[in-house]
Structure formats: C-alpha cells, structure tokens
Amino acid sequence: LARQVGNQMAKDWKQPIVVENKGAAGGVSAVDAVVKSQADGYTLLVGGDSAITIMPNLQRNLPYDVKQDLVPVTKLGQSEFVLVASPKKGYKNLQDFVAAAKLHPGKINYASSGTGGAQHLAMEQFKQRAGFYATHIPYRGGPQGLQDVLGGQVDVMLIAVAPALPQIQSGKLTALAFSGLKRHPLLPQVPAVAETYKGFEAAAWFGLFAPKGTPEAVVQA
C-alpha cells in the first residue's frame, strides 16, 4: 500500500518517494521514527490501527502520543482477512479447523504479525466466538508468519487477502474463511466466518499521517 501511494505521489510531485519498511513492534518503531522527524512534509507515515489505536490502549510508555505527535492526513483504505492453513494440515473448511482445535485443546497454534495487532485481536475474537483455545505465535511481520504457515510449522493465520491470494490460487494454502461480513469477490468460493458465526467481522484500516507541526498547506496538498 505504501509503495502504491508513494508511486502516485512521486508522479504528482515530480520527485522520488523512498519507502522505508519498519515493521517491528507492530508498527510502533515506524510511528516513533516519523514523530521524531522534521515536520516539513518530507517524512510521512503509512500506519494502521495496530500502532495508532490499539497499542496505545494496551501498552504503557509508548515513545509517542498519537493525539499529540501525529496529524492525520487521510484514510487510505481497509483490509479484511482470510484464514489460511497449509494443505498438509488437512483442514478442508472452517468447521474442520474448529473441530480439530476443540478436539486437541492447546495443541493448535496460529501466527500473527505481532502482539496487539489487528490480526492478533481478530483471532482472539474468533476463538471466543467459536469456543476453542489456540496458542498465539507473534512474528515481526505478516510475511514471516505466512512463511511458517506455508511450511506447516504453524497451523493457521488470519492475513490480508492480497499476500495470501497467489498462494491460495496455486494450492499452497487452503483458504478456510473470510473475515468480512460477505464473501470476497476474489475468493467467492471461500465462505465468510459470519456465515457460521453470525455478525463476525474483522478488518484492519490504514491511513496517512504526518508529524505534528507539519504546515497545514502541506497536509492539504
């Protein structure tokens, strides 16, 4: 998402945009780097709900205060999740997975992009609704967790559709369920979790932010 936005901004502004990935600590390190930068419009943040709204409510002593240190520019979009597993696990659908988790309490695990992130909280919400226990294994980012799901080291993961789609289409991942209220248009064969657990919905949002003090004219541009 940051690269797509950056490419468009580079065309409009007629100057190069450098995208620097800082995925550690659920995005906290990225926010910290931006709030400490000069408020001149040359450093911006593509941030999500994890570091902006979730972590400030879960973790004390963050190196920033969202309300004081950041200026919101615009919402960039949101992304629902797909629950995936390696075909090696033998789960054909959501019901298979839930049944296995209930049959083997504590032996099922799941990956996320970090503790306190949207993926983590969505899976915990799903565990409560479905009534099973699974061990959380946090990673430094979604791609790392997905690799271990592909390899079969981790049982399942809720992840955005875009990075999982090629692996699903190639048969390297089994898509068990979609976290939106309705089925995803790119995965019409995959049921929504809400079809089994009424009203269930989980997603992550992303926005563009600038450091506090950035001139209003720059923010509006």
Side-chain angles (χ1 to χ4, degrees):
L1 179 60
R3 295 185 188 283
Q4 289 179 332
V5 172
N7 288 339
Q8 187 59 52
M9 290 170 65
K11 293 177 182 177
D12 293 344
W13 291 354
K14 296 180 173 54
Q15 59 180 300
I17 303 292
V18 178
V19 176
E20 183 178 0
N21 294 321
K22 287 184 174 292
V28 170
S29 59
V31 179
D32 186 38
V34 171
V35 300
K36 291 178 179 177
S37 65
Q38 293 187 26
D40 54 10
Y42 283 91
T43 302
L44 300 171
L45 170 73
V46 174
D49 42 18
S50 176
I52 303 298
T53 56
I54 298 175
M55 296 303 289
N57 288 287
L58 295 180
Q59 184 175 323
R60 295 181 179 179
N61 302 319
L62 286 175
Y64 56 83
D65 183 327
V66 171
K67 295 181 180 180
Q68 297 296 325
D69 298 334
L70 286 176
V71 176
V73 179
T74 187
K75 181 180 178 180
L76 298 175
Q78 72 177 43
S79 175
E80 289 81 15
F81 307 121
V82 58
L83 182 66
V84 295
S86 167
K88 303 173 187 176
K89 298 296 179 179
Y91 309 133
K92 301 298 183 184
N93 50 47
L94 186 64
Q95 289 74 19
D96 283 352
F97 168 69
V98 172
K102 290 182 176 180
L103 186 62
H104 305 288
K107 294 185 178 181
I108 300 295
N109 54 36
Y110 73 93
S112 84
S113 59
T115 300
Q119 295 173 346
H120 176 204
L121 297 188
M123 193 65 185
E124 290 298 315
Q125 179 187 359
F126 174 55
K127 284 165 54 179
Q128 290 184 351
R129 286 293 306 273
F132 68 88
Y133 176 80
T135 302
H136 174 219
I137 302 181
Y139 287 80
R140 290 177 61 86
Q144 294 91 329
L146 188 62
Q147 284 303 311
D148 277 1
V149 174
L150 283 163
Q153 292 94 334
V154 182
D155 291 298
V156 296
M157 182 178 192
L158 274 173
I159 192 167
V161 172
L165 187 60
Q167 311 293 349
I168 295 170
Q169 292 174 332
S170 66
K172 295 180 180 179
L173 284 176
T174 300
L176 304 177
F178 177 62
S179 74
L181 288 175
K182 298 180 180 180
R183 298 190 183 198
H184 195 284
L186 295 178
L187 295 169
Q189 76 281 11
V190 179
V193 176
E195 294 178 32
T196 303
Y197 301 95
K198 187 175 180 179
F200 182 91
E201 182 180 17
W205 61 260
F206 303 92
L208 188 66
F209 299 85
K212 180 184 178 182
T214 301
E216 182 64 20
V218 174
V219 173
Q220 294 300 324

